[in-house]
Amino acid sequence: MSWLLENWFGSKESLEQVREDIHEHLHKEFYLGVSGIDNPEQSSTRIASNELDLLMNGPWDNKLEEAETELLQYIHDELPPVVRDEVGIVPFFTQVTDEGYVVLTYIRNATNRSVLLQKLPLTLMTEEGEIVAQKTFDLIPSGPIGDLSSRPFEFLFRWNEFSKLPEQEVPLKLTYVKPAAPKEVGQELNQGLTKEETEKYLKQADKTSSVEPGQVDLQVLDIMSGADNGLRVVVAFRNGLEKRLEFTEVPIIVNNEEGNNVARVQYTLHNMKVEANSNRVWAFDIPSSSIKQEIDDLSKLTAVIPKARQSKKQSSANLAVENNKGLLQ
């Protein structure tokens, strides 16, 4: 009996027997809201699960027996349709271990672009709605999820991370609550940068030619080495409008001196707002798994933001192009 069959379904001895129980383990899918629409779970525009490519990564990659791969594919194809233009997470199995409470999921990207999830806050709660554990998972090392594809992910809540230990028989469900917008958004909120770095890059953004009134400009200020052989790209968001803007997606393309593509990553942002007539800086981490070529000299890299997407609740803005190190085209 395979490792997955033994650990997930106990005494079950064959894939055929396991199939009978699959639907009993499925939980309700929740969505990350990347489409910008309210209540995406109510949308009738959906894609059948078997139209998405199931890709393995991390502990799943090249470490599964044929029966295990067949089981994962079968479970995936049995899932209900996913909302188009959304990223959904559907738990398909839970398990109590010595380390903690494990939730096995599929993350399904039903958009036509690759999506890199950064910090993902998840909550475990009882069926009555009592929260027993909250944890933010760093998904950057796992790399982007390709367009129209799914990947299995394992989320482990360790016992010392629980605020309250539930009774052993109490079933728990995994949920996601989109982070609430802060009451005041100022330049002090700058992702991934220290206070000193923030001041440095804001001054650097201010020294460049000011953005024209009525336009919006995204400018790459720096490219540096990141964690685990990755890259870090610092971007200035410059808003020349008379109203606050909210950005939901930022694509970044990094090229080498010869103009060859080194990395291409699509970021999904939550509550990324830039006040009227102001600048804001943000650091984007590109994992090593997204880097396609060996990098010999960081100073010879350039980054381009081909198109930035605002929230659908905001009117569109003209996007300016300035210098050769990462502006809009």
Side-chain angles (χ1 to χ4, degrees):
M1 183 166 55
S2 73
W3 180 89
L4 288 183
L5 293 179
E6 179 179 0
N7 284 271
W8 293 2
F9 298 97
S11 61
K12 298 294 182 182
E13 297 181 354
S14 70
L15 180 59
E16 288 68 27
Q17 289 176 294
V18 169
R19 283 173 171 166
E20 300 174 3
D21 291 344
I22 286 176
H23 289 279
E24 296 182 13
H25 294 280
L26 291 181
H27 293 199
K28 182 179 180 181
E29 186 165 33
F30 52 88
Y31 294 95
L32 303 187
V34 301
S35 63
I37 64 174
D38 295 328
N39 303 315
E41 65 278 356
Q42 298 178 8
S43 173
S44 60
T45 306
R46 295 175 177 257
I47 300 176
S49 189
N50 59 12
E51 293 183 19
L52 304 181
D53 294 325
L54 179 60
L55 306 175
M56 303 299 174
N57 68 293
W60 314 90
D61 187 22
N62 298 321
K63 297 180 181 179
L64 300 179
E65 298 178 9
E66 183 178 352
E68 295 170 340
T69 301
E70 183 182 353
L71 172 61
L72 284 172
Q73 184 70 61
Y74 179 83
I75 295 175
H76 176 266
D77 292 346
E78 286 290 299
L79 297 177
V82 60
V83 173
R84 187 181 294 275
D85 296 327
E86 267 294 345
V87 175
I89 300 180
V90 53
F92 65 90
F93 194 79
T94 62
Q95 186 178 38
V96 175
T97 70
D98 292 339
E99 292 183 83
Y101 195 86
V102 177
V103 183
L104 301 176
T105 72
Y106 291 103
I107 300 183
R108 304 196 290 176
N109 177 14
T111 74
N112 58 5
R113 60 193 180 277
S114 178
V115 173
L116 176 64
L117 300 177
Q118 301 184 65
K119 305 295 183 181
L120 183 64
L122 297 176
T123 298
L124 276 181
M125 62 173 59
T126 65
E127 292 183 344
E128 290 72 32
E130 181 182 13
I131 296 176
V132 296
Q134 293 178 297
K135 183 175 181 180
T136 298
F137 293 87
D138 181 9
L139 300 188
I140 288 181
S142 300
I145 302 172
D147 58 296
L148 297 176
S149 67
S150 299
R151 281 164 55 173
F153 271 81
E154 175 183 291
F155 295 105
L156 170 64
F157 292 81
R158 301 185 182 278
W159 296 122
N160 60 4
E161 297 169 337
F162 276 67
S163 58
K164 178 181 179 180
L165 291 177
E167 298 292 336
Q168 187 173 0
E169 298 80 10
V170 175
L172 301 177
K173 63 179 181 179
L174 189 69
T175 62
Y176 165 80
V177 178
K178 186 175 180 178
K183 294 181 179 179
E184 295 183 1
V185 181
Q187 292 182 348
E188 70 277 9
L189 296 178
N190 298 286
Q191 175 70 24
L193 297 172
T194 65
K195 181 179 179 180
E196 292 75 16
E197 289 174 328
T198 297
E199 293 176 353
K200 168 189 171 182
Y201 289 119
L202 283 175
K203 289 180 180 178
Q204 185 175 334
D206 291 337
K207 287 181 179 178
T208 61
S209 57
S210 60
V211 62
E212 295 182 13
Q215 293 193 357
V216 178
D217 171 45
L218 274 67
Q219 180 181 23
V220 173
L221 301 178
D222 201 0
I223 304 174
M224 64 189 85
S225 58
D228 300 323
N229 298 317
L231 292 174
R232 167 164 281 202
V233 179
V234 180
V235 177
F237 292 76
R238 307 199 299 169
N239 180 12
L241 301 181
E242 296 297 328
K243 60 183 177 181
R244 184 174 66 181
L245 292 180
E246 179 177 359
F247 289 85
T248 58
E249 297 172 10
V250 173
I252 296 179
I253 301 174
V254 180
N255 297 319
N256 59 19
E257 188 178 21
E258 290 75 29
N260 297 322
N261 184 224
V262 173
R264 180 189 295 265
V265 183
Q266 179 90 19
Y267 295 89
T268 299
L269 305 177
H270 296 296
N271 301 318
M272 173 52 185
K273 298 179 175 66
V274 184
E275 297 296 333
N277 297 308
S278 69
N279 298 334
R280 188 174 180 188
V281 290
W282 199 271
F284 295 92
D285 289 307
I286 298 179
S288 57
S289 59
S290 296
I291 299 175
K292 303 176 182 178
Q293 297 188 20
E294 184 175 349
I295 300 172
D296 297 322
D297 189 348
L298 285 174
S299 66
K300 295 182 179 179
L301 296 180
T302 58
V304 176
I305 303 175
K307 181 180 180 181
R309 179 177 172 184
Q310 297 167 235
S311 168
K312 292 185 178 180
K313 296 180 181 179
Q314 306 284 348
S315 60
S316 61
N318 293 325
L319 299 173
V321 180
E322 292 198 2
N323 63 34
N324 65 348
K325 204 171 183 184
L327 300 184
L328 299 168
Q329 295 180 334

